[in-house]
Amino acid sequence: MSEAIRRKSLDELDIITARRYGEEDYPHAEWTRLRQESPVHRFEPEGYAPFWAVTRHADIIEVSKQPELYRSAGRFILVPRPPELAAASGDGLTEDPPLRMLVNMDPPEHRDYRRLVSAWFTPRAIARLESRLHEITTEVFDTWARDGDEVECDLVNDIAAIQPLRMITEILGIPREQEDFVMRVTQENFGIEDPELQRDDESTDGRLGFLTEAFAYLDEITSDRRKNPRDDLSTVLACATLDGEPVPTFELFSLYFLIMVAGHDTTRNAISGGVRALVEHPEEFKKLQTNPGLVATAADEIVRWTTPVNHFSRTATEDTELHGARIQKGDSVGLFYASANRDEDVFDDPFAFRIDRQPNPHLGFGIGEHFCLGASLARMDLRIFFEHFAKRVESIEPTGPLELSHASFVGGPKRMPVRIRIRPH
Ligand code: HEM
């Protein structure tokens, strides 16, 4: 831990600004101090409504398993409050949320909505996509290089982004010509605090303008599927009912949007962060190349190591106590999954990247009521990507600086210039 971090008071630690994540990476040293000295610590950073940071594995489980006491509706992520709310306690997402989707719903409504789509994401349903995913992954590598080639590319946008994007759009039945559109609205959503990725503030609806565009597209595709049903998830969504009634449009499009964006950006970050980890740990890369059977444990270790979904937030519905901290009704409680995934009480040598780590009870997919709907799909995307990567890539080296997203919600590498040598046939 650096001297600068040790000397700061706990209140001064920056674990939340997007700038910090973009310029210096995840605040692991700060979290290590918090886990040791104040595992449930109240922060009041300038520009944000106050929140409690929960940094230990056991405490995050305790919160996640009590959705009645800690609700997801309201402030579900920790972002700066807009200037017009500076004097109030809100964050602009609470009163009139721009989306009502699974991650900001609570039981019993949450369960009803989750049930509309869950059959598409069970391990068995996902397993049926395996051979198609191999074809997609082969195509992604073939587009870049033939056997024996040496190529220079941006690992993030040219390779890592494509496989999960193509898989989720095929599940939804979104045509390939629309992939670039899906990618752009996703980047404007998760990159809302990144000066390079965020949508032009001057445009209609400001930085949230991508939602207007996305909803117009969802209107088109759902109307089409109601007239021309197909065997795809868009048809299931378009024709979904709740208690015999059509699902209200706002909630329907919110759910669709969530699947469309969460279904690939998170995995892209895990893939590019996983490649980064293999470059930084050449002995683990060698281990994977010689033991391709380790790819399943490697996929989970990559999710633990990178934790692309860094945090979610809950709101206390009653006064309560958490690890000695007195939480009051209405307080925000930030669950820092990336910190839990380095918790010394749970993981043996947590700062070691080991592709054969077992057991690996990481919280990279959350836990409880909101456990990631797409976890089986994400695991399969990762497993197949790294199976191909280990088989085909002989060597990989950086050719320029790594750039990280300015994001403390869902983040990871933004650009990663590399030279790759593909194994001769
Ligand atoms: C490595 C990739 C992924 C990671 C790290 C990840 C992580 C997470 C986490 C931490 C949550 C919990 C949210 C909470 O606590 O409130 C979550 C929920 C969710 N994830 Fe993922 N996810 C990934 C991939 C995917 C994919 C491929 C999909 C595709 C459908 C997906 C869809 C969802 C949905 C719909 C939820 C909301 C579930 C609910 O609230 O009931 N995720 N994810």
Side-chain angles (χ1 to χ4, degrees), residues 102 110 114 121 258 262-263 266 309 312 314 337 364-366 370 372 374:
L102 295 177
H110 168 264
R114 191 164 162 130
F121 294 100
L258 171 67
T266 46
V309 178
F312 262 100
R314 306 283 194 258
Y337 301 119
F365 293 120
H370 292 274
C372 177

Side-chain angles (χ1 to χ4, degrees), residues 169-187:
T169 49
E170 286 196 8
I171 290 173
L172 286 161
I174 295 177
R176 203 177 267 203
E177 312 83 80
Q178 304 291 348
E179 272 185 3
D180 288 348
F181 167 74
V182 173
M183 181 52 97
R184 182 170 56 75
V185 296
T186 305
Q187 290 192 331

Side-chain angles (χ1 to χ4, degrees), residues 8 71 83 104 144 182 204 215 234 239 291 298 319 328 364 421:
K8 281 187 179 172
R71 68 183 160 87
N104 61 347
W144 273 94
V182 173
T204 327
F215 274 32
S234 290
C239 303
N291 306 285
D319 292 356
Q328 294 190 348
R421 189 168 174 74

